[in-house]
Amino acid sequence: MRPDSIAVVIATRNRADRLADTLERLTGLPERPSVLVVDNASHDGTRSVVRERFPGVGLLALPANRGALARTEGVRALDHPYVAFSDDDSWWESGALARAVGILEADPRIGLVAARTRVSPAGGPDPLNEVLAGSPLGGGDGLPGPRVLGFLGCAAVVRRTAFLGVGGFHPLLFFGAEETLLAYDLAAAGWLVCHAPAVTAVHRPDSGPRPDRATLLHRNEALTSWLRRPLPVAARHTWRLARSARADRAARRALGQLLPRLPAALAARRRLPAGVEADIRRVEVARAAG
């Protein structure tokens, strides 16, 4: 693997201590990847930590919190052919990035590699691993694993040209379940999104409460439907959200955030190719049966 083959982009906001631990691990990898921290307008000294303790790490300081779009800004700022994403609480196992580069160089059809994720400190697997490995879309043709239409944002490696070619993460979603829409757009552009269980990321999620997480997931799942799915599908999704809102506070808040964003979603709406929509339905049927 060439030293300039891959870089790691980390989007962060106000988690300087966790970021420092992650940078210690990433800068110690045998692959010696370039590392770029994209700071979402932190006010906890994050930028000073990077500059003073990690002078070899790049820093892109954003003037405002841009959520997941910080990853897109990071990829744009680099010129490496492959870019891995980490969060400030995740990193890559030794050798994982070299394996990812090998997969991407061996098959120019692959636009994104979805890694296997190990949860620290216990070391057990993330539940998403089983979902990805059991994808009904299958593999074959020498792929490293099955084709998928989703991934974990802190455990993915992208081909830079593919990622930027579809615009990266969508600005309307900001943060929360933003990976699904990117997977759809890559597939729609003809790229393969593949699970690669031989490539491993490590995630140490914060054990504290995340009160807004469910709201963001509900909102962005509905927005993704309006942006890309057939109108009857989007309408059914929104109707289910509205029915849940009567008893579920997170759904109620999601609906309140969805409605003012609908005009922008409709303006940016772009139907997926029939084959991609058929694959999505296969995934949904498998999920419902499981």
Side-chain angles (χ1 to χ4, degrees), residues 8 10 15 22 52 59 81 146 176 201 215 229 236 256 267 279 285-286 290:
V8 180
I10 306 174
R15 301 218 294 180
T22 291
E52 295 170 11
L59 175 65
T215 295
R229 306 291 304 279
R236 284 197 300 271
D279 281 347
V285 168

Side-chain angles (χ1 to χ4, degrees), residues 15 175 206-219 248-254 257:
R15 301 218 294 180
F175 185 75
D206 194 336
S207 58
R210 304 172 73 183
D212 295 330
R213 180 66 174 171
T215 295
L216 293 174
L217 294 179
H218 288 319
R219 183 196 75 191
D248 184 335
R249 182 172 179 269
R252 189 161 55 250
R253 294 180 62 193
Q257 295 179 18

Side-chain angles (χ1 to χ4, degrees), residues 237-261:
H237 199 141
T238 304
W239 174 243
R240 287 195 297 268
L241 182 62
R243 289 203 308 174
S244 300
R246 290 179 291 184
D248 184 335
R249 182 172 179 269
R252 189 161 55 250
R253 294 180 62 193
L255 187 64
Q257 295 179 18
L258 168 67
L259 295 178
R261 289 171 171 81

Side-chain angles (χ1 to χ4, degrees), residues 33-274:
S34 300
V35 180
L36 175 64
V37 172
V38 187
D39 180 51
N40 269 320
S42 294
H43 47 75
D44 69 342
T46 288
R47 298 175 188 187
S48 296
V49 167
V50 176
R51 291 186 180 114
E52 295 170 11
R53 294 180 54 183
F54 302 95
V57 170
L59 175 65
L60 178 58
L62 300 183
N65 182 7
R66 302 201 66 203
L69 270 67
R71 298 184 188 128
T72 304
E73 296 295 340
V75 176
R76 287 194 180 115
L78 297 165
D79 57 7
H80 299 67
Y82 312 114
V83 180
F85 295 127
S86 288
D87 285 347
D88 45 33
D89 58 4
S90 74
W91 55 91
W92 294 89
E93 281 194 347
S94 176
L97 296 180
R99 285 190 285 275
V101 169
I103 289 168
L104 289 161
E105 291 192 334
D107 195 333
R109 300 172 301 167
I110 299 175
L112 184 147
V113 171
R116 181 174 68 91
T117 308
R118 182 168 59 83
V119 180
S120 177
D126 188 289
L128 184 61
N129 293 342
E130 187 175 350
V131 175
L132 296 175
S135 169
L137 304 183
D141 297 327
L143 296 178
R147 293 187 298 116
V148 294
L149 285 172
F151 59 94
L152 189 63
C154 66
V157 183
V158 298
R159 189 182 301 273
R160 182 176 181 272
T161 53
F163 178 82
L164 293 181
V166 300
F169 291 101
H170 200 283
L172 191 58
L173 302 187
F174 187 73
F175 185 75
E178 70 278 1
E179 300 95 339
T180 300
L181 182 55
L182 176 61
Y184 289 176
D185 285 349
L186 285 167
W191 295 101
L192 298 181
V193 179
C194 296
H195 178 46
V199 179
T200 304
V202 183
H203 188 205
R204 188 180 62 188
D206 194 336
S207 58
R210 304 172 73 183
D212 295 330
R213 180 66 174 171
T215 295
L216 293 174
L217 294 179
H218 288 319
R219 183 196 75 191
N220 286 348
E221 286 168 1
L223 281 172
T224 296
S225 291
W226 286 107
L227 282 162
R228 297 290 183 267
R229 306 291 304 279
L231 288 175
V233 172
R236 284 197 300 271
H237 199 141
T238 304
W239 174 243
R240 287 195 297 268
L241 182 62
R243 289 203 308 174
S244 300
R246 290 179 291 184
D248 184 335
R249 182 172 179 269
R252 189 161 55 250
R253 294 180 62 193
L255 187 64
Q257 295 179 18
L258 168 67
L259 295 178
R261 289 171 171 81
L262 270 182
L266 292 172
R269 178 175 168 77
R270 186 174 69 246
R271 279 288 301 274
L272 297 167

